C-alpha cells in the first residue's frame, strides 16, 4: 500500500456534523440582536434555491451575496464565540472522519481542509485540528465590510479538484499518493482528483459510485446537536435590513436551520 502524503478533507458534514456557514451566521445575528426572522427568511431562500435544483455553486454565491454590508471584523471575532459554543455541544466533530485525519497526521501526511465555507469559521477548525492548510471560498471585503462578491470561484465542485491539484503540484506529490474525503456528489471532482477516495455517508448515488470506484465508505454524520445562541436583545449594531420595532427572542438553532457548505 502506497504511503499517503497529502490528505484532503471536505469539512461540513464530513469532518463536522453541521454546516459552519449557516450556524455561524445565526450566531452572528443573535449576538448582535438582529431580528431572528431575518436569519430564518434567508435560510428559507437558500433552501428554496436548492429545492428547485439550482447548482450548488449558485447557492454558495447567493449565501455570500447575503453577507453584503456585514462587518468582516465583527464576523471574525464572533466566530471565536461561535466555535466555543459548537465545541460545548460535545458533538461538533464527526469522530470517524476525525480519526482518519489523526491517522494521516500520525503518519506524516500533509492535511488540507477543502470547503465552500469561508475563512472566519474554517481558520478555527483548521487550527483546532492541526490541519496544515485550508482552501475555501473567499468573500471580498472593502472598507471592513463584505461586498457580497467573491474573490475567485466558490470552492465547490471542480474548484475543489483544481485547488487540490495545485497543492499536489506545489508539493511535488503525485496524485496517486493522495486521498480525499467527501460527503456529497459535488465532492466527486475532488475525490477523483486524488489517488483514492473515501465517502462519508452520502446519498445512494454517491455510495454506488464509491462502490464502482473501489472507494472506502465511512458512516454519515449524526444529526448536529442543537446550538445555543446568545439571547437575542436590542442590537448593538443595527442590521442593514432590520425592520424597526421588532422584538427579538432567545432561541436555539437546531438541525432544521443547518445547511451544508452550499449555503
Amino acid at each position: 500500500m502506497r504511503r499517503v502524503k497529502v490528505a484532503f478533507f471536505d469539512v461540513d458534514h464530513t469532518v463536522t456534523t453541521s454546516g459552519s456557514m449557516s450556524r455561524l451566521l445565526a450566531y452572528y445575528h443573535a449576538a448582535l440582536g438582529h431580528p431572528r426572522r431575518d436569519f430564518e427568511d434567508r435560510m428559507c431562500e437558500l433552501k428554496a434555491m436548492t429545492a428547485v435544483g439550482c447548482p450548488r455553486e449558485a447557492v454558495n454565491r447567493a449565501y455570500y451575496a447575503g453577507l453584503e454590508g456585514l462587518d468582516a471584523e465583527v464576523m471574525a471575532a464572533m466566530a471565536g464565540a461561535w466555535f466555543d459554543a459548537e465545541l460545548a455541544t460535545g458533538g461538533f466533530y464527526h469522530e470517524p472522519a476525525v480519526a482518519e485525519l489523526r491517522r494521516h497526521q500520525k503518519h506524516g501526511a500533509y492535511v488540507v481542509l477543502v470547503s465552500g465555507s469561508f475563512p472566519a469559521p474554517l481558520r478555527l477548525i483548521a487550527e483546532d485540528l492541526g490541519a496544515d492548510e485550508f482552501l475555501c471560498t473567499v468573500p471580498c471585503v472593502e472598507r471592513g465590510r463584505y461586498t457580497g462578491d467573491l474573490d475567485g470561484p466558490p470552492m465547490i465542485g471542480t474548484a475543489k479538484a483544481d485547488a487540490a491539484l495545485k497543492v499536489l503540484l506545489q508539493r511535488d506529490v503525485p496524485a496517486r499518493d493522495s486521498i480525499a474525503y467527501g460527503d456529497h456528489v459535488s465532492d466527486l471532482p475532488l475525490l477523483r482528483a486524488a489517488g483514492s477516495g473515501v465517502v462519508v455517508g452520502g446519498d445512494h448515488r454517491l455510495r454506488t459510485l464509491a462502490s464502482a470506484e473501489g472507494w472506502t465508505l465511512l458512516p454519515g454524520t449524526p444529526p448536529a446537536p442543537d446550538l445555543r445562541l446568545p439571547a437575542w436583545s436590542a442590537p448593538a449594531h443595527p442590521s442593514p435590513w432590520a425592520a424597526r420595532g421588532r422584538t427579538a427572542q432567545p432561541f436555539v438553532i437546531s438541525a432544521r436551520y443547518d445547511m451544508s457548505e452550499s449555503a
Side-chain angles (χ1 to χ4, degrees):
M1 180 179 293
R2 301 189 66 90
R3 175 190 166 201
V4 171
K5 296 181 180 178
V6 181
F8 298 99
F9 286 83
D10 171 55
V11 179
D12 293 349
H13 300 289
T14 296
V15 172
T16 67
T17 60
S18 62
S20 58
M21 297 164 67
S22 56
R23 285 166 70 108
L24 172 54
L25 187 61
Y27 199 97
Y28 175 97
H29 285 307
L32 295 185
H34 297 169
R36 170 182 171 181
R37 189 67 186 176
D38 289 344
F39 168 75
E40 292 179 328
D41 288 348
R42 185 63 185 150
M43 289 301 101
C44 286
E45 291 170 5
L46 296 172
K47 286 191 173 185
M49 290 180 67
T50 300
V52 298
C54 288
R56 200 170 173 91
E57 293 86 348
V59 183
N60 189 269
R61 284 187 179 278
Y63 171 90
Y64 292 108
L67 299 187
E68 182 180 2
L70 300 187
D71 190 307
E73 288 189 7
V74 172
M75 180 70 79
M78 205 67 69
W82 160 80
F83 188 61
D84 288 343
E86 290 282 16
L87 292 180
T89 67
F92 180 58
Y93 288 125
H94 184 41
E95 291 305 325
V98 172
E100 288 288 290
L101 185 149
R102 297 296 186 212
R103 180 173 64 83
H104 290 303
Q105 288 175 323
K106 180 179 178 181
H107 289 92
Y110 188 80
V111 172
V112 185
L113 306 185
V114 192
S115 174
S117 189
F118 61 121
L122 288 178
R123 183 173 289 109
L124 298 168
I125 296 170
E127 289 176 354
D128 190 53
L129 293 174
D132 296 289
E133 186 176 354
F134 67 90
L135 309 170
C136 65
T137 304
V138 181
C140 291
V141 177
E142 290 183 3
R143 298 179 182 178
R145 294 187 178 275
Y146 295 112
T147 67
D149 295 323
L150 299 179
D151 182 6
M155 191 58 68
I156 301 287
T158 56
K160 285 188 175 185
D162 292 343
L165 291 172
K166 184 176 180 180
V167 170
L168 294 174
L169 181 63
Q170 290 172 339
R171 300 190 64 79
D172 194 24
V173 173
R176 65 179 178 271
D177 292 340
S178 66
I179 192 170
Y181 294 72
D183 73 297
H184 190 268
V185 290
S186 64
D187 293 321
L188 276 174
L190 174 64
L191 294 168
R192 285 173 169 158
S196 58
V198 179
V199 171
V200 182
D203 61 15
H204 176 70
R205 175 190 169 195
L206 185 57
R207 295 180 74 84
T208 300
L209 285 170
S211 179
E213 296 281 355
W215 293 337
T216 302
L217 297 175
L218 285 181
T221 57
D226 288 349
L227 177 65
R228 185 166 297 280
L229 302 178
W232 290 52
S233 58
H237 304 283
S239 163
W241 56 81
R244 295 182 178 180
R246 297 175 69 174
T247 302
Q249 301 294 327
F251 86 114
V252 172
I253 184 170
S254 64
R256 76 186 183 93
Y257 294 111
D258 183 33
M259 299 191 72
S260 68
E261 62 188 24
S262 66

